[in-house]
């Protein structure tokens, strides 16, 4: 089963930690943007290539994992995944992001979004448990 991780460039180490944990559980990443990091200063052509690669990664993924906090790109990938009907796991260690108030986002509460509030260390196992339950009972 393939997945894509969206988060900010400043959280590459967290991305890689979750990526490695999911790999150890048998999942395959559809596109790993951390292999090149930021391309903002390379060229517009490279920016276009990476944008296409990221969107293709979302399309190829069976599920998308959003690590909050994220920045503009994270939320664009989140919206694209939502529009394409992907199963989305939205993670934050801060549960207040999911509570009513100015800090939340309406899309965080979309019916196809699974909000996950746990430590980063427990995230891969939590996602795996949810995936296994969905495979057993697809209506979840």
């Amino acid at each position: 089963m393939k997945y894509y991780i969206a988060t900010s460039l400043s959280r590459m180490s967290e991305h890689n930690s979750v990526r490695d944990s999911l790999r150890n559980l048998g999942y395959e990443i559809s596109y790993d943007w951390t292999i090149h990091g930021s391309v903002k200063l390379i060229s517009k052509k490279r920016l276009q290539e990476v944008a296409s690669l990221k969107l293709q990664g979302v399309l190829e993924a069976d599920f998308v994992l959003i690590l909050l906090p994220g920045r503009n790109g994270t939320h664009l990938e989140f919206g694209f995944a939502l529009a394409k009907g992907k199963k989305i796991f939205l993670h934050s260690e801060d549960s207040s992001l999911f509570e009513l108030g100015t800090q939340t986002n309406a899309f965080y509460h979309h019916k196809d979004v699974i909000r996950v509030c746990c430590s980063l260390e427990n995230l891969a196992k939590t996602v795996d448990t949810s995936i296994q339950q969905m495979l057993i009972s697809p209506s979840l």
Side-chain angles (χ1 to χ4, degrees):
M1 190 169 257
K2 288 187 176 185
Y3 65 93
Y4 180 86
I5 301 175
T7 194
S8 67
L9 285 164
S10 65
R11 300 193 71 213
M12 279 200 279
S13 63
E14 289 90 342
H15 170 287
N16 292 343
S17 174
V18 174
R19 177 203 61 207
D20 295 346
S21 295
L22 286 169
R23 181 186 308 136
N24 290 339
L25 292 170
Y27 295 93
E28 177 186 353
I29 195 162
S30 59
Y31 179 68
D32 187 349
W33 50 265
T34 68
I35 59 174
H36 54 70
S38 178
V39 296
K40 291 180 180 182
L41 300 176
I42 295 174
S43 70
K44 290 181 181 178
K45 183 177 191 273
R46 183 63 178 142
L47 284 168
Q48 291 171 346
E49 291 169 353
V50 168
S52 293
L53 289 168
K54 287 181 169 192
L55 293 180
Q56 188 61 38
V58 171
L59 285 175
E60 291 177 6
D62 297 300
F63 66 92
V64 175
L65 181 55
I66 310 292
L67 304 180
L68 297 177
R71 297 192 41 88
N72 294 338
T74 305
H75 285 82
L76 288 166
E77 293 160 334
F78 174 37
F80 185 70
L82 197 57
K84 292 298 182 180
K86 297 295 178 175
K87 184 55 73 181
I88 299 169
F89 292 92
L90 183 64
H91 173 263
S92 176
E93 290 182 310
D94 178 4
S95 64
S96 72
L97 290 180
F98 303 142
E99 295 171 7
L100 294 178
T102 59
Q103 75 292 343
T104 198
N105 183 302
F107 293 103
Y108 293 178
H109 300 276
H110 189 278
K111 65 178 180 61
D112 293 333
V113 173
I114 299 170
R115 291 170 302 284
V116 180
C117 191
C118 66
S119 70
L120 202 62
E121 294 77 26
N122 291 329
L123 180 56
K125 186 61 181 160
T126 301
V127 168
D128 180 55
T129 299
S130 291
I131 294 288
Q132 297 309 317
Q133 289 174 346
M134 283 183 239
L135 293 173
I136 294 169
S137 180
S139 63
L140 293 177

